[in-house]
Amino acid sequence: MLVGQELLVPAPSTVVTTLVGLAGTAQFWQVVGWSLVRIGLGFVAGVVAGCAAAALTHGSRVADALLSPALRVVRAAPVASFVILALVWIPTGRLPVFIAFLMVVPVVWDNISQGLRQLDPQLLELADVFRLGWWEIVRRIRVPSLVPFLTTACATGMGLAWKSGVAAEVISRPYLSIGGELQNAKVYLDTPGVFSWTVVVVALSMLLEKLLRVLAARWNRRFGSAAPGSDPGSVGRPQREGALDAEL
Amino acid sequence: MPSFEQVDFAYAAGRLVLEGFSLELPDRGVVCLVGPSGCGKTTLLRLAAGLESPHAGRISGFQGRRAAMVFQEDRLLPWETTRQNATTTPSSDRATEWLVALGLGDSLDRRPGELSGGMARRVAIARALAAPHDLLLLDEPFSGLDEDTWRGAVQRILATEEGGLTLLVTHVLDQALAMGATVVRLQGLPLRVVGQPS
């Protein structure tokens, strides 16, 4: 009875045909392009703000007391609540940017904070003895130590930004957006359209993830450091207690 | 003269590493600290480097000095090349000279992960020697080096070190002799001097 009911579940061939049809239009590429721009913008801003927040909460107790609880709330709150709240005060075109930003900030903040906490005290002592200036410490020790944490944060954050950004587009429906097209397809009961756009979202998500992974691998190779949690080789991360005997 | 006067120090409460410890050191020359492992030699170097502060007593004669140190661990930055690791000043010339002198001329652009243990140790030595200093703190600097290598390094150090004070911690008496060091024998815990030539 359900066979032939394209309204419920379209045949894969129908989805492919719809996709091919879509991909042939200039508007399709504009839609994809604008969604990428919006979400990419939010992602980049989120990474920058997340790093800044981590530096602040790590460096100042006041900032930690003010920012950390807020960031934990943001991380725990559902995307939809934010979208609907933000709809009231943010123009529709910028809403997905803001939502992607909001999803990325706590992830980056969390990872970078962890990286800052795990910074090898032995290397800071080294800098102390050899009188490296604060900029040298940042450039040669702090930033490279954080690279593996940043790449992990970016990989997680990108996935979140993309999915939440498209969800925000569905609700706010900016002109030329994948989410808007999804919503349109739904409104016109164009199920093959819904499936096609979903395929586009999934495909782009995988593509972006792949891209980030390649970039991360290149960065990690450039800095020659291992992923967080693994042993970085010649520099250990001794606990205070264990280091005691070695220091005697 | 650099000296320790009645110094108390502990990492953890109730476990004094130094208790009323006193030692006078010469202004220049090599002093070798010999003693069983865990007796507090490294702590003494850390206090001299200013990495730890005494809980009681006085440490004087070190403050104005520029220290360079070979730590017990190599403490190389895994993301930097040999040349970058050995450089702690704006110019890398001296670092390169020392690396070449210690036989690492072929490995200037390699990273620590690609070096053997002995090579990494020599990078740590080159880093200390290339840094401007008049207080050289060497904590078992030649561990993991074969005899020819450390003897070669000692010769280079003796040829260039002048005017400053070098504190050497080692288990190998031959190394102290090769460095022409004044030997101070220590026991611990808590750390105390058991033998010092007049």
Side-chain angles (χ1 to χ4, degrees), chain A residues 66-95:
Chain A
L66 290 173
L67 278 176
S68 300
L71 283 162
R72 278 190 205 102
V73 168
V74 171
R75 188 173 50 189
V79 187
S81 310
F82 277 116
V83 178
I84 288 160
L85 269 175
L87 257 180
V88 183
W89 17 273
I90 293 181
T92 53
R94 289 183 212 152
L95 183 80

mmCIF file of all heavy atoms in Angstrom, chain A residues 66-95:
data_model
loop_
_atom_site.group_PDB
_atom_site.id
_atom_site.type_symbol
_atom_site.label_atom_id
_atom_site.label_comp_id
_atom_site.label_asym_id
_atom_site.label_seq_id
_atom_site.Cartn_x
_atom_site.Cartn_y
_atom_site.Cartn_z
ATOM 1 N N LEU A 66 32.511 34.480 36.327
ATOM 2 C CA LEU A 66 31.435 35.074 35.528
ATOM 3 C C LEU A 66 31.122 34.253 34.278
ATOM 4 O O LEU A 66 29.965 33.994 33.960
ATOM 5 C CB LEU A 66 31.821 36.497 35.107
ATOM 6 C CG LEU A 66 31.851 37.552 36.217
ATOM 7 C CD1 LEU A 66 32.415 38.854 35.678
ATOM 8 C CD2 LEU A 66 30.458 37.760 36.778
ATOM 9 N N LEU A 67 32.181 33.871 33.561
ATOM 10 C CA LEU A 67 31.992 33.273 32.242
ATOM 11 C C LEU A 67 31.695 31.772 32.267
ATOM 12 O O LEU A 67 30.836 31.291 31.535
ATOM 13 C CB LEU A 67 33.248 33.506 31.392
ATOM 14 C CG LEU A 67 33.372 34.855 30.693
ATOM 15 C CD1 LEU A 67 34.718 34.957 29.978
ATOM 16 C CD2 LEU A 67 32.247 35.010 29.674
ATOM 17 N N SER A 68 32.427 31.059 33.117
ATOM 18 C CA SER A 68 32.325 29.598 33.070
ATOM 19 C C SER A 68 30.906 29.074 33.271
ATOM 20 O O SER A 68 30.465 28.209 32.501
ATOM 21 C CB SER A 68 33.300 28.975 34.073
ATOM 22 O OG SER A 68 34.606 29.353 33.744
ATOM 23 N N PRO A 69 30.158 29.568 34.271
ATOM 24 C CA PRO A 69 28.784 29.052 34.415
ATOM 25 C C PRO A 69 27.927 29.362 33.188
ATOM 26 O O PRO A 69 27.165 28.505 32.722
ATOM 27 C CB PRO A 69 28.254 29.812 35.642
ATOM 28 C CG PRO A 69 29.456 30.318 36.344
ATOM 29 C CD PRO A 69 30.496 30.542 35.308
ATOM 30 N N ALA A 70 28.106 30.565 32.635
ATOM 31 C CA ALA A 70 27.328 30.948 31.448
ATOM 32 C C ALA A 70 27.627 30.008 30.286
ATOM 33 O O ALA A 70 26.726 29.547 29.581
ATOM 34 C CB ALA A 70 27.656 32.388 31.060
ATOM 35 N N LEU A 71 28.917 29.702 30.107
ATOM 36 C CA LEU A 71 29.297 28.833 28.995
ATOM 37 C C LEU A 71 28.763 27.421 29.193
ATOM 38 O O LEU A 71 28.375 26.757 28.234
ATOM 39 C CB LEU A 71 30.819 28.816 28.858
ATOM 40 C CG LEU A 71 31.375 30.083 28.203
ATOM 41 C CD1 LEU A 71 32.865 30.243 28.467
ATOM 42 C CD2 LEU A 71 31.119 30.048 26.700
ATOM 43 N N ARG A 72 28.705 26.987 30.460
ATOM 44 C CA ARG A 72 28.171 25.647 30.720
ATOM 45 C C ARG A 72 26.677 25.598 30.409
ATOM 46 O O ARG A 72 26.180 24.607 29.881
ATOM 47 C CB ARG A 72 28.429 25.247 32.173
ATOM 48 C CG ARG A 72 29.834 24.729 32.327
ATOM 49 C CD ARG A 72 30.102 24.078 33.667
ATOM 50 N NE ARG A 72 31.524 24.192 33.909
ATOM 51 C CZ ARG A 72 32.079 25.083 34.713
ATOM 52 N NH1 ARG A 72 31.332 25.903 35.409
ATOM 53 N NH2 ARG A 72 33.386 25.149 34.838
ATOM 54 N N VAL A 73 25.989 26.683 30.711
ATOM 55 C CA VAL A 73 24.558 26.746 30.411
ATOM 56 C C VAL A 73 24.344 26.705 28.899
ATOM 57 O O VAL A 73 23.510 25.952 28.389
ATOM 58 C CB VAL A 73 23.933 28.034 31.009
ATOM 59 C CG1 VAL A 73 22.522 28.248 30.463
ATOM 60 C CG2 VAL A 73 23.908 27.950 32.525
ATOM 61 N N VAL A 74 25.125 27.501 28.172
ATOM 62 C CA VAL A 74 25.006 27.534 26.714
ATOM 63 C C VAL A 74 25.227 26.146 26.135
ATOM 64 O O VAL A 74 24.509 25.693 25.240
ATOM 65 C CB VAL A 74 26.019 28.534 26.104
ATOM 66 C CG1 VAL A 74 26.046 28.412 24.590
ATOM 67 C CG2 VAL A 74 25.672 29.953 26.513
ATOM 68 N N ARG A 75 26.234 25.446 26.698
ATOM 69 C CA ARG A 75 26.556 24.122 26.182
ATOM 70 C C ARG A 75 25.400 23.150 26.413
ATOM 71 O O ARG A 75 25.130 22.281 25.582
ATOM 72 C CB ARG A 75 27.820 23.611 26.856
ATOM 73 C CG ARG A 75 28.356 22.330 26.256
ATOM 74 C CD ARG A 75 29.700 21.970 26.843
ATOM 75 N NE ARG A 75 29.668 22.013 28.299
ATOM 76 C CZ ARG A 75 30.744 21.909 29.069
ATOM 77 N NH1 ARG A 75 31.922 21.793 28.509
ATOM 78 N NH2 ARG A 75 30.649 21.956 30.377
ATOM 79 N N ALA A 76 24.705 23.316 27.526
ATOM 80 C CA ALA A 76 23.660 22.359 27.884
ATOM 81 C C ALA A 76 22.307 22.691 27.245
ATOM 82 O O ALA A 76 21.479 21.811 27.066
ATOM 83 C CB ALA A 76 23.513 22.313 29.401
ATOM 84 N N ALA A 77 22.085 23.980 26.886
ATOM 85 C CA ALA A 77 20.762 24.389 26.410
ATOM 86 C C ALA A 77 20.498 23.868 24.993
ATOM 87 O O ALA A 77 21.407 23.764 24.183
ATOM 88 C CB ALA A 77 20.676 25.909 26.421
ATOM 89 N N PRO A 78 19.237 23.523 24.704
ATOM 90 C CA PRO A 78 18.900 23.034 23.362
ATOM 91 C C PRO A 78 19.004 24.153 22.315
ATOM 92 O O PRO A 78 18.709 25.314 22.610
ATOM 93 C CB PRO A 78 17.461 22.544 23.501
ATOM 94 C CG PRO A 78 16.948 23.160 24.752
ATOM 95 C CD PRO A 78 18.102 23.498 25.621
ATOM 96 N N VAL A 79 19.427 23.784 21.120
ATOM 97 C CA VAL A 79 19.591 24.750 20.037
ATOM 98 C C VAL A 79 18.303 25.497 19.774
ATOM 99 O O VAL A 79 18.290 26.717 19.609
ATOM 100 C CB VAL A 79 20.011 24.030 18.735
ATOM 101 C CG1 VAL A 79 20.362 25.027 17.657
ATOM 102 C CG2 VAL A 79 21.148 23.075 18.990
ATOM 103 N N ALA A 80 17.189 24.746 19.761
ATOM 104 C CA ALA A 80 15.910 25.340 19.373
ATOM 105 C C ALA A 80 15.546 26.512 20.281
ATOM 106 O O ALA A 80 15.036 27.541 19.812
ATOM 107 C CB ALA A 80 14.815 24.279 19.417
ATOM 108 N N SER A 81 15.834 26.380 21.581
ATOM 109 C CA SER A 81 15.514 27.469 22.504
ATOM 110 C C SER A 81 16.238 28.737 22.105
ATOM 111 O O SER A 81 15.664 29.828 22.086
ATOM 112 C CB SER A 81 15.929 27.091 23.922
ATOM 113 O OG SER A 81 15.434 25.834 24.254
ATOM 114 N N PHE A 82 17.505 28.571 21.766
ATOM 115 C CA PHE A 82 18.297 29.738 21.382
ATOM 116 C C PHE A 82 17.795 30.349 20.092
ATOM 117 O O PHE A 82 17.705 31.558 19.950
ATOM 118 C CB PHE A 82 19.766 29.359 21.225
ATOM 119 C CG PHE A 82 20.494 29.353 22.521
ATOM 120 C CD1 PHE A 82 21.018 28.184 23.027
ATOM 121 C CD2 PHE A 82 20.648 30.533 23.256
ATOM 122 C CE1 PHE A 82 21.677 28.177 24.231
ATOM 123 C CE2 PHE A 82 21.305 30.536 24.458
ATOM 124 C CZ PHE A 82 21.821 29.345 24.955
ATOM 125 N N VAL A 83 17.468 29.490 19.142
ATOM 126 C CA VAL A 83 17.005 29.993 17.852
ATOM 127 C C VAL A 83 15.763 30.849 18.065
ATOM 128 O O VAL A 83 15.657 31.973 17.569
ATOM 129 C CB VAL A 83 16.695 28.834 16.887
ATOM 130 C CG1 VAL A 83 16.160 29.368 15.576
ATOM 131 C CG2 VAL A 83 17.932 27.980 16.661
ATOM 132 N N ILE A 84 14.834 30.313 18.827
ATOM 133 C CA ILE A 84 13.562 31.019 19.003
ATOM 134 C C ILE A 84 13.759 32.309 19.787
ATOM 135 O O ILE A 84 13.216 33.360 19.444
ATOM 136 C CB ILE A 84 12.529 30.089 19.673
ATOM 137 C CG1 ILE A 84 12.101 29.027 18.638
ATOM 138 C CG2 ILE A 84 11.314 30.855 20.167
ATOM 139 C CD1 ILE A 84 11.490 27.800 19.229
ATOM 140 N N LEU A 85 14.601 32.234 20.825
ATOM 141 C CA LEU A 85 14.917 33.433 21.588
ATOM 142 C C LEU A 85 15.582 34.476 20.705
ATOM 143 O O LEU A 85 15.208 35.647 20.679
ATOM 144 C CB LEU A 85 15.867 33.090 22.732
ATOM 145 C CG LEU A 85 15.235 32.718 24.063
ATOM 146 C CD1 LEU A 85 16.309 32.280 25.035
ATOM 147 C CD2 LEU A 85 14.458 33.901 24.616
ATOM 148 N N ALA A 86 16.592 34.014 19.948
ATOM 149 C CA ALA A 86 17.405 34.927 19.156
ATOM 150 C C ALA A 86 16.608 35.528 18.010
ATOM 151 O O ALA A 86 16.892 36.639 17.563
ATOM 152 C CB ALA A 86 18.634 34.193 18.622
ATOM 153 N N LEU A 87 15.585 34.799 17.536
ATOM 154 C CA LEU A 87 14.731 35.297 16.451
ATOM 155 C C LEU A 87 14.170 36.670 16.782
ATOM 156 O O LEU A 87 13.957 37.510 15.917
ATOM 157 C CB LEU A 87 13.563 34.335 16.228
ATOM 158 C CG LEU A 87 13.652 33.415 15.031
ATOM 159 C CD1 LEU A 87 12.427 32.532 14.966
ATOM 160 C CD2 LEU A 87 13.821 34.193 13.742
ATOM 161 N N VAL A 88 13.918 36.874 18.075
ATOM 162 C CA VAL A 88 13.301 38.123 18.506
ATOM 163 C C VAL A 88 14.224 39.310 18.248
ATOM 164 O O VAL A 88 13.792 40.362 17.832
ATOM 165 C CB VAL A 88 12.941 38.042 20.006
ATOM 166 C CG1 VAL A 88 12.219 39.309 20.451
ATOM 167 C CG2 VAL A 88 12.101 36.809 20.283
ATOM 168 N N TRP A 89 15.540 39.109 18.502
ATOM 169 C CA TRP A 89 16.400 40.279 18.373
ATOM 170 C C TRP A 89 17.476 40.208 17.290
ATOM 171 O O TRP A 89 18.303 41.085 17.170
ATOM 172 C CB TRP A 89 17.034 40.719 19.699
ATOM 173 C CG TRP A 89 17.046 39.734 20.834
ATOM 174 C CD1 TRP A 89 16.027 39.563 21.731
ATOM 175 C CD2 TRP A 89 18.074 38.831 21.217
ATOM 176 N NE1 TRP A 89 16.375 38.606 22.637
ATOM 177 C CE2 TRP A 89 17.616 38.136 22.357
ATOM 178 C CE3 TRP A 89 19.334 38.517 20.708
ATOM 179 C CZ2 TRP A 89 18.375 37.159 23.003
ATOM 180 C CZ3 TRP A 89 20.084 37.556 21.368
ATOM 181 C CH2 TRP A 89 19.606 36.883 22.496
ATOM 182 N N ILE A 90 17.497 39.171 16.495
ATOM 183 C CA ILE A 90 18.543 39.110 15.458
ATOM 184 C C ILE A 90 17.904 38.940 14.086
ATOM 185 O O ILE A 90 17.009 38.115 13.914
ATOM 186 C CB ILE A 90 19.523 37.956 15.750
ATOM 187 C CG1 ILE A 90 20.313 38.274 17.015
ATOM 188 C CG2 ILE A 90 20.467 37.726 14.581
ATOM 189 C CD1 ILE A 90 21.305 37.224 17.381
ATOM 190 N N PRO A 91 18.343 39.737 13.083
ATOM 191 C CA PRO A 91 17.792 39.607 11.732
ATOM 192 C C PRO A 91 17.999 38.185 11.212
ATOM 193 O O PRO A 91 19.009 37.555 11.526
ATOM 194 C CB PRO A 91 18.610 40.598 10.912
ATOM 195 C CG PRO A 91 19.311 41.476 11.887
ATOM 196 C CD PRO A 91 19.385 40.759 13.179
ATOM 197 N N THR A 92 17.053 37.697 10.392
ATOM 198 C CA THR A 92 17.062 36.296 9.990
ATOM 199 C C THR A 92 18.362 35.867 9.318
ATOM 200 O O THR A 92 18.817 34.760 9.499
ATOM 201 C CB THR A 92 15.896 35.997 9.034
ATOM 202 O OG1 THR A 92 15.959 36.935 7.981
ATOM 203 C CG2 THR A 92 14.570 36.072 9.725
ATOM 204 N N GLY A 93 18.986 36.751 8.531
ATOM 205 C CA GLY A 93 20.200 36.378 7.810
ATOM 206 C C GLY A 93 21.348 36.084 8.758
ATOM 207 O O GLY A 93 22.213 35.265 8.479
ATOM 208 N N ARG A 94 21.336 36.786 9.893
ATOM 209 C CA ARG A 94 22.474 36.637 10.809
ATOM 210 C C ARG A 94 22.233 35.591 11.883
ATOM 211 O O ARG A 94 23.148 35.213 12.582
ATOM 212 C CB ARG A 94 22.768 37.982 11.480
ATOM 213 C CG ARG A 94 23.367 38.958 10.500
ATOM 214 C CD ARG A 94 23.720 40.259 11.169
ATOM 215 N NE ARG A 94 23.557 41.337 10.211
ATOM 216 C CZ ARG A 94 23.268 42.584 10.545
ATOM 217 N NH1 ARG A 94 23.093 42.899 11.807
ATOM 218 N NH2 ARG A 94 23.160 43.505 9.618
ATOM 219 N N LEU A 95 20.982 35.144 11.988
ATOM 220 C CA LEU A 95 20.674 34.197 13.057
ATOM 221 C C LEU A 95 21.509 32.914 12.973
ATOM 222 O O LEU A 95 22.078 32.489 13.972
ATOM 223 C CB LEU A 95 19.180 33.867 13.055
ATOM 224 C CG LEU A 95 18.786 32.948 14.197
ATOM 225 C CD1 LEU A 95 18.624 33.730 15.486
ATOM 226 C CD2 LEU A 95 17.528 32.186 13.882
#
